[in-house]
Amino acid sequence: MKKFALIIIIILGIASGCSASTSGSEIDLRSMTLREKVGQLFLIRPDQLNVNLSNDLIHKSKAVGETSVTEIMLDTLRNYPAGGFALFAKNIENPTQLKIFTRELVNACTIQPILAIDEEGGIISRIANHKKFRVKKFPSVKSIGETGNSRMAYDAGAVIGKYLRDYGFNLDFAPIVDVNTNPDNIVIGNRAFGDDPELVSRMAGAFLDGLHSQKIAGSIKHFPGHGDTTNDPHKGYVAISKTWDELLNCELIPFMRNFAKTDSVMVAHITLKNITHDDLPATLSQELITGKLRNELAYDGLIITDAMMMGAVKENYSSSEAAVLAFEAGNDILLMPWDFREAFDGIIHAIETGRISEQRLDESVRRILDFKSKFVF
């Protein structure tokens, strides 16, 4: 929904005597079709709207990516509306193209989309590491943490937030709050602020403040902590052997300290062998997401899965099955399923057959719309 429509909704909410945010969500929900509601759950690659591309090409980082909205993509959106898009280096050519592309994506959607990107600072920075962009680059997140100066983290968040806003984004998949406790970790390493949970907590909070100063949302990741792993979930099964008490005393500290400040939490595809009894990746585990994150830790904000096309999920579950399990587990947003349309149809079928209630669907859609009322313009 475009900005003027959101304003109308807020005005109607005030006139009805309800608070603007609650009223806006309620009125929007009542006017939405089932497919529009389900679409809000999906944050996908723009490439996934091109039905002529294979899933292998869509998810291959070095392949050619979509850099403008085509008629084929518009036609897919009419049948499979998406709640947002995550852009990668292959979707980015230069500053002018990126500004046009993000605006085209906004205009293509009936309800304004979340526009997200991984811009952590350091090695994972889709814009800063692009040769056509002249924005400030940060050597690594670890180098910021080593200063011990949270102002440096704030400044990094503000610098990144400013250019993300300039290029049309509203969500940064950052900061990482993983505590890098395992020197053999091949996934996190210098992407983390450090190996001290108190330091990571302070730095991540300051980075979030910097993003917020530029009206960009953040997402702390990768719950419940990816710092003490040695395998890569992009390729397959990853497990940690720590107990819940051990996580509470280290890896979970930066999450808990920043629940009130963050705009979302991203969940990792790691299996918790000594915590949950379902043997599922955290993203698919109701024990972890609803039982631990929602109920025990009392986090009531937006929950996003890590990319569902990763091997830890794709190699063991169909896109439909994974989407349903992830939503049943308690996630609100399903990030980049391997097959978007199959995952979408899987959620529709689960609702139509009663496996998932529409009340449960509305619960997540309301969180997503509340998020959009704050950050999507």
Side-chain angles (χ1 to χ4, degrees):
M1 181 171 289
K2 301 298 184 285
K3 183 178 179 180
F4 71 89
L6 287 174
I7 293 171
I8 290 170
I9 287 170
I10 291 170
I11 292 170
L12 288 173
I14 293 171
S16 70
C18 302
S19 67
S21 59
T22 302
S23 177
S25 298
E26 290 295 332
I27 292 173
D28 225 20
L29 281 170
R30 288 196 291 267
S31 67
M32 292 169 70
T33 67
L34 176 61
R35 295 187 74 84
E36 284 175 332
K37 289 180 183 180
V38 170
Q40 289 301 297
L41 308 181
F42 289 96
L43 208 165
I44 63 172
R45 293 177 182 264
D47 318 80
Q48 292 182 278
L49 297 177
N50 187 344
V51 295
N52 294 326
L53 292 178
S54 70
N55 288 321
D56 283 313
L57 281 176
I58 286 169
H59 296 294
K60 188 174 290 184
S61 61
K62 300 298 183 183
V64 174
E66 298 295 339
T67 55
S68 64
V69 174
T70 65
E71 286 300 320
I72 290 173
M73 294 165 70
L74 288 171
D75 188 57
T76 302
L77 270 176
R78 292 183 191 105
N79 296 308
Y80 289 90
F85 304 96
L87 272 64
F88 289 80
K90 68 177 185 175
N91 304 117
I92 300 171
E93 293 178 336
N94 56 63
T96 300
Q97 170 270 333
L98 181 56
K99 286 185 178 181
I100 293 172
F101 190 27
T102 54
R103 178 49 51 188
E104 287 177 341
L105 289 168
V106 168
N107 291 337
C109 297
T110 303
I111 298 172
Q112 276 200 341
I114 293 171
L115 292 177
I117 195 166
D118 287 291
E119 201 75 12
E120 299 171 2
I123 190 172
I124 306 298
S125 300
R126 314 298 181 191
I127 292 175
N129 291 335
H130 196 291
K131 61 183 179 181
K132 293 290 182 69
F133 288 78
R134 298 291 181 265
V135 299
K136 183 173 181 178
K137 299 174 75 168
F138 299 91
S140 69
V141 174
K142 180 182 178 183
S143 68
I144 296 171
E146 285 174 340
T147 69
N149 185 352
S150 57
R151 181 69 198 192
M152 299 288 287
Y154 176 92
D155 290 344
V159 167
I160 291 170
K162 184 180 186 308
Y163 68 72
L164 290 186
R165 174 58 66 185
D166 288 344
Y167 290 116
F169 294 94
N170 43 54
L171 173 61
D172 187 8
F173 289 138
I176 279 197
V177 297
D178 297 309
V179 182
N180 194 37
T181 54
N182 190 332
D184 296 324
N185 193 313
I186 61 174
V187 177
I188 303 303
N190 66 5
R191 294 169 66 193
F193 286 109
D195 58 9
D196 175 7
E198 296 295 340
L199 171 72
V200 172
S201 298
R202 285 192 295 106
M203 291 291 174
F207 188 97
L208 284 167
D209 286 338
L211 288 178
H212 292 160
S213 74
Q214 304 301 315
K215 301 189 186 306
I216 294 291
S219 185
I220 55 176
K221 61 184 185 182
H222 306 81
F223 185 85
H226 219 308
D228 193 16
T229 59
T230 55
N231 295 328
D232 186 348
H234 289 83
K235 298 176 180 179
Y237 180 83
V238 177
I240 59 174
S241 58
K242 285 191 171 182
T243 66
W244 186 246
D245 283 342
E246 287 176 316
L247 291 183
L248 284 171
N249 287 318
C250 184
E251 281 84 355
L252 287 171
I253 290 173
F255 287 97
M256 294 186 292
R257 296 278 169 81
N258 285 290
F259 278 161
K261 186 172 288 187
T262 191
D263 311 293
S264 59
V265 170
M266 180 179 284
V267 182
H269 302 308
I270 53 178
T271 301
L272 310 172
K273 298 188 296 183
N274 292 318
I275 298 171
T276 59
H277 301 88
D278 49 28
D279 201 35
L280 294 170
T283 33
L284 309 184
S285 173
Q286 192 172 55
E287 282 187 74
L288 182 76
I289 296 175
T290 298
K292 296 292 189 183
L293 180 55
R294 284 278 189 229
N295 295 338
E296 183 173 331
L297 300 183
Y299 175 70
D300 63 357
L302 199 64
I303 300 177
I304 304 175
T305 72
D306 206 342
M308 300 286 282
M309 43 66 64
M310 291 185 187
V313 173
K314 181 183 80 72
E315 299 303 322
N316 299 292
Y317 308 90
S318 69
S319 294
S320 174
E321 182 183 14
V324 172
L325 285 172
F327 193 65
E328 287 180 322
N331 293 285
D332 299 302
I333 290 180
L334 312 178
L335 177 62
M336 291 162 42
W338 175 254
D339 188 312
F340 166 49
R341 287 173 295 162
E342 181 188 319
F344 190 110
D345 290 341
I347 296 289
I348 290 284
H349 180 72
I351 293 167
E352 290 178 339
T353 58
R355 178 172 173 177
I356 295 173
S357 70
E358 198 155 352
Q359 179 182 356
R360 167 69 185 90
L361 174 64
D362 287 351
E363 178 184 315
S364 283
V365 175
R366 189 174 291 108
R367 283 197 191 96
I368 294 164
L369 295 176
D370 286 345
F371 171 92
K372 289 184 174 186
S373 73
K374 300 171 187 173
F375 293 101
V376 174
F377 298 97

